[in-house]
Amino acid sequence: MPGRILEPGTLQKGYASVSKSVIRPDAEDKAKGKAVYADDQHFPGALFARQVYSKYPHAVIKSVDVSRALKMPGVKGVITADDIPGKREFGNVIEDQRPLAYDKVRFLGDVLAVVAAKTRRQALAAADKVRVEYEELPAVFDPREAMKEGAPLLYRERENNIQVPHKIRRGDTDKGFSDSDIIIEGEFSTPFVEHSYMEPESALAFTDSS
């Protein structure tokens, strides 16, 4: 459906976009190929970074050895959690997220080290040289299993794997049932959402004198 481009300040004036077809501000540039992505930008002397991901969904980190990676051609540096000054956790509800894992890994996407090199190929090659010693732990892959008594704990300092409990109560369920012609009960699930990214997650950063 065709939409309308919102004028600046429209939403602040109380415009209701619900049930309206609203064009994204960047839609036209992306459709015409004018959008600038991270891979389109280049700075002299820029380095390429590569993360070292966990090999296990749940494990204790015994050690992270970056000595071999530092000796690889083109490598300018390798950082681990030990290089983060001060606080190493953040989070919206509870601070359970870590930019770089340092005691345990809790999913395959946990990052243990980041390699910076002159070229992307050099960064990839050096990342393969980082050696991590693990103590593999039992993992949980289902939320119902994770909530059961005796399930492997993702955080040793907690009594269970429930992050934050919430109760939602709205409306009169009994009245809704009595007024219904048909009641369907069952267990329903949806697949993962594929957003079809035109570019993987990426970032370009630089420092200046200011």
Side-chain angles (χ1 to χ4, degrees), residues 13-34:
K13 295 177 182 178
Y15 181 90
S17 59
V18 178
S19 78
K20 303 292 193 302
S21 179
V22 181
I23 295 179
R24 288 173 55 100
D26 57 355
E28 185 175 348
D29 283 346
K30 288 181 176 179
K32 292 182 177 181
K34 295 180 180 180

Side-chain angles (χ1 to χ4, degrees), residues 158-184:
R158 297 187 197 165
E159 296 180 358
N160 54 50
N161 290 318
I162 299 174
Q163 186 186 62
V164 179
H166 285 288
K167 286 186 178 181
I168 300 174
R169 299 291 183 265
R170 184 174 181 179
D172 189 333
T173 305
D174 294 333
K175 185 178 185 303
F177 278 10
S178 63
D179 292 345
S180 299
D181 294 324
I182 299 174
I183 298 175
I184 300 175

Side-chain angles (χ1 to χ4, degrees), residues 106-139:
R106 295 175 174 85
F107 71 114
L108 292 173
D110 259 334
V111 178
L112 297 110
V114 179
V115 177
K118 291 182 178 179
T119 69
R120 181 180 286 108
R121 182 173 294 181
Q122 289 172 335
L124 289 169
D128 287 338
K129 298 298 182 181
V130 175
R131 294 291 177 262
V132 182
E133 183 183 355
Y134 301 92
E135 178 187 331
E136 190 175 1
L137 299 173

